[in-house]
Amino acid sequence: MHLILRKLSLMMALLSLMALATGCSNVAVEEKESLYSSGGFELYADSIVRDGTVYKALSDTCIGEVWSATSDTGRRSPRLITALKMADALFAKAVASPSGMSAEEIYLSLGLMRPEESMAALRRLASAPVDDNEDFPRSSLQPYWASAAWEVYCATGSTEWLREAYDYIIKMLSRQSALNSSPLCTELKCGIPWNITDPSVAYPPRMNDMSRFQSFSSSVNIARAHTLEIASRMAAELHLSAERELHALSENIGNNVNDRLWLPDLQRYGQYLYGDYFPIVSTVTDNEANLLAVMAEVATPEMSSAIVANLPLGELGVPHTYPYLIPSAPLLAWLQGLYGLAASTVRNPAAFLHAMAAVWSVTLDGDQAAVWPAMVIKGLFGIKPERDCLNFRPMVPDIFPGEKRIENLAYRGATFDIAIHGTGDRIVSFMLDSVSVTPYRVAADITGHHRIDITLSGNDLNAKPLRIMEPLAVPATPDVKWATPSDLRIINFDDRLHYEIYTDGVMTEAITTDAYRVPDGCLVTDIVPTLERGVSGYSPASHIDAPEGSLITVKASSITPRRPPVHLIKDPATATNYIELAARHNTRITCYVNVAEEGDYFLTVGYTNGSTRCAVRTLGINGKDVGTLLFPSRRANDWVRVYPSTTAVVHLKEGVNKLWLTYVRGTILFNKLTLLKRS
């Protein structure tokens, strides 16, 4: 027996020598318990095993053949020291990595670690030119700019930066106040989320620019609510009276997001409201929007805990959407980091570990300067820069035993070495230079080098179960044929699905057959393909069944006086179908509409806009202005093809009604006005 033990000891020593001799090369992982294992992917304290390949951290400056610090990057501040060598090495790799200094990265951790670079980067982002078609169809509201700007202020205390950032945010919000509003849902803002450059990743192919623009996404509205709240905080710091108004606006949008987009049975937010005239909720999950709701505190604490526990995850991380719109889309590193921060916020160690595994895998191969440091500094150590202090709220799962230490973390005029002893999230001791401190924070005006020691109680964090989902694609959009205005047949019927029928925006029933007859009296019908709750697709274009007399059209040829735009349309016969509305003439055009029944009507204007700028007109009815219509540029130099404006909801009296459009900006050619009686 002693001989066997001696031989084993010699073998272990030989393996150690081999590891030392190979320097920064991959070696086999020893037999030991993994920290995380899923789908052919495993984490160990000093190793990652992925697709059969072993990546081993030999020190905090060397990960096998993947990364080795150079002399000028090996000891940049700050530095992480734990019992998990891979955690330390990936932290050092991130700190040494270059960064594009995006607003997301600044918000995650670079605002604290690189405040001056972050300030300069945010200035560059703010000064970038806005497209002439501003905010159509894509909102220009950068969801993380305000958060990043606030982070930089908290990290530096610069009132000069605070004024500059506040002025930019107010200017951006003011520009969008009219451009991202729609009477189809007055409580929310419309537009494609800022970060979606390819609409096919978030919208069904049948939707055009206008229908995508007139959707009301959780992402756009959560980002706006958070931006308004940041502006309110800035106004408070600057002693401005706008603080309360901005906070009220933020709270109003947040409450409406919770009322209109929260899905109680799924315990998360839907993707957006969409559809003609009566918007319905897409139950496709936008994971980023849900996590931003947690971090922005748009979701209540109870909702936040539910979101983190019920978010649909893949084995290797958080997909951008679920079901998948693009099944092969790579995982986004910063989205995994956002999930980790949300997990720390709601104290869910299982979710934190899942995010950690995804972040380790993604950041192993590329330069990601902000993601793992954010999870360490803000997640594990719970360090949050605030307006007047550095606050601490750690959450340490039991996979991080022993002492965890961050060295040389700079904050304003001070530098800290911070050690956490134990696990859990209940602080039993907080020592600043060996002196007990409560509450658990450090004042912003502290200077010099200091040591902080935090001891945790080892309490059970009560991990919530996670939802690891099979990769599923969005069900196919129904190809619907209408034999009569009330009778439909689904050509691409799939017997694995059921089809939810929405009439005038309300889900009335689910069918499992390919044919259906819409009840009498329904104006708008939508059909949503559903595999199971939470795995739904998109409706085709809304079916409109307008009763006789409910659709009214006023053509340009019936309005006088008229000015055919022959300088834009050379053919006189074609030009006579349009009226030019521009800054130099027809700044206000008036028409009269006779309706048989008082009530609410949907109103759109058919127009052409061959310029490069979105045109805007105020809509007035019977003596007062009632809203704003947008007329985006659709095809440069095309003044013939007619498109619908944004839709307004107006109240008309029985008999003759006076309507007008008043110039705000931009040139359009008016072709027709359409009214549809709302049921």
Side-chain angles (χ1 to χ4, degrees), residues 432-576:
L432 174 62
D433 297 330
S434 302
V435 177
S436 180
V437 174
T438 53
Y440 310 129
R441 60 186 62 168
V442 176
D445 59 359
I446 192 171
T447 59
H449 196 104
H450 302 272
R451 180 179 172 92
I452 296 173
D453 284 276
I454 303 171
T455 302
L456 302 177
S457 68
N459 60 296
D460 184 359
L461 290 168
N462 298 318
K464 307 295 191 299
L466 303 179
R467 298 192 66 191
I468 308 299
M469 309 292 286
E470 292 294 323
L472 290 174
V474 171
T477 300
D479 178 10
V480 179
K481 302 298 181 186
W482 292 85
T484 72
S486 300
D487 294 285
L488 68 87
R489 189 165 72 87
I490 302 170
I491 304 302
N492 59 342
F493 178 78
D494 186 337
D495 59 12
R496 297 171 303 168
L497 304 174
H498 61 271
Y499 295 84
E500 295 177 347
I501 306 296
Y502 288 77
T503 55
D504 295 343
V506 178
M507 206 278 274
T508 53
E509 61 182 304
I511 62 172
T512 55
T513 60
D514 66 348
Y516 181 73
R517 182 176 179 82
V518 179
D520 293 339
C522 297
L523 178 65
V524 178
T525 304
D526 295 286
I527 305 102
V528 177
T530 304
L531 181 61
E532 58 185 84
R533 192 65 179 143
V535 186
S536 298
Y538 299 104
S539 170
S542 299
H543 174 70
I544 314 297
D545 182 13
E548 185 177 352
S550 65
L551 184 64
I552 303 168
T553 300
V554 179
K555 295 185 178 181
S557 56
S558 68
I559 298 174
T560 56
R562 300 183 52 245
R563 186 186 179 93
V566 291
H567 62 294
L568 293 173
I569 302 175
K570 301 305 180 186
D571 177 39
T574 302
T576 195

Side-chain angles (χ1 to χ4, degrees), residues 6-18 30:
R6 187 177 178 185
K7 284 183 176 180
L8 285 172
S9 178
L10 287 170
M11 288 176 65
M12 293 299 294
L14 181 60
L15 283 172
S16 297
L17 287 171
M18 288 173 64
E30 303 158 15

Side-chain angles (χ1 to χ4, degrees), residues 152-209:
V152 169
Y153 168 66
C154 291
T156 62
S158 169
T159 54
E160 181 183 352
W161 166 250
L162 184 67
R163 290 190 190 95
E164 184 181 340
Y166 176 78
D167 288 345
Y168 171 73
I169 292 171
I170 294 302
K171 185 185 299 182
M172 174 179 59
L173 291 171
S174 298
R175 188 188 72 240
Q176 291 187 323
S177 61
L179 295 176
N180 284 101
S181 299
S182 169
L184 293 179
C185 182
T186 56
E187 306 92 348
L188 298 172
K189 297 298 180 181
C190 58
I192 298 176
W194 179 83
N195 59 344
I196 294 178
T197 54
D198 178 4
S200 68
V201 305
Y203 297 87
R206 62 91 177 165
M207 291 179 72
N208 59 29
D209 277 352

Side-chain angles (χ1 to χ4, degrees), residues 36 305 307-314 339 343 348-355 463-469:
Y36 177 90
S305 294
I307 287 169
V308 173
N310 291 282
L311 210 64
L313 309 172
Y339 180 50
N348 188 325
F352 186 88
L353 179 56
H354 190 83
K464 307 295 191 299
L466 303 179
R467 298 192 66 191
I468 308 299
M469 309 292 286

